[in-house]
Amino acid sequence: MGYMAPEWALNMPINAKVDVYSYGVVLLEIVIGTRISSGVIVDEIQVEFRDIIEEAKQILATERITDLVDAKLKGCFDPEQATAMVRIAVSCLGDRSKRPTMDEILKALMAYDDEDGHPAYS
């Protein structure tokens, strides 16, 4: 399905929440550092998109965010910001009635805007 919200495929009424879904996919891809919308290959095994989302939820529950963040960052990221990004992404990919609005997403992300004392920003 890629970046398209499930309601497109199910011929359900379309509203602004379809864009929120797509944004959630992109946000999760930014954190992970790879395209995930069509699934990924891990140890020569195809991992489906839904399984990636479930893994993200488990990582959030266990607070092991470094297991999910792009390894190319070599630990140079703010774990609190990464956790917030994954939490927002997962909420965007849930049931459409529970997805946040883009305004709510913006406010949640802006809460981390002033944190430029972290080494990743120098």
Side-chain angles (χ1 to χ4, degrees):
M1 216 174 304
Y3 300 95
M4 288 184 5
E7 44 266 40
W8 280 106
L10 299 172
N11 288 325
M12 297 172 70
I14 302 303
N15 60 24
K17 299 290 179 120
V18 298
D19 293 333
V20 170
Y21 181 93
S22 300
Y23 183 78
V25 175
V26 172
L27 188 58
L28 197 53
E29 289 180 338
I30 290 169
V31 173
I32 293 174
T34 189
R35 183 177 176 161
I36 59 170
S37 56
S38 302
V40 295
I41 305 229
V42 178
D43 296 327
E44 299 183 24
I45 298 171
Q46 177 73 22
V47 179
E48 297 299 322
F49 181 65
R50 284 279 148 217
D51 296 330
I52 296 167
I53 296 169
E54 289 306 312
E55 181 66 19
K57 289 178 184 178
Q58 289 177 358
I59 286 171
L60 284 172
T62 60
E63 300 180 3
R64 298 181 341 248
I65 197 66
T66 55
D67 292 351
L68 191 63
V69 174
D70 187 352
K72 291 185 288 285
L73 293 176
K74 298 179 183 171
C76 292
F77 65 91
D78 183 325
E80 192 175 332
Q81 287 179 338
T83 299
M85 290 174 70
V86 172
R87 188 170 285 118
I88 291 166
V90 166
S91 70
C92 292
L93 300 170
D95 181 81
R96 76 184 195 152
S97 65
K98 296 178 183 173
R99 290 180 202 150
T101 64
M102 287 305 294
D103 186 55
E104 292 167 335
I105 293 167
L106 176 65
K107 287 176 183 173
L109 291 172
M110 291 300 289
Y112 296 93
D113 183 44
D114 294 333
E115 296 187 13
D116 33 1
H118 191 274
Y121 299 115
S122 47

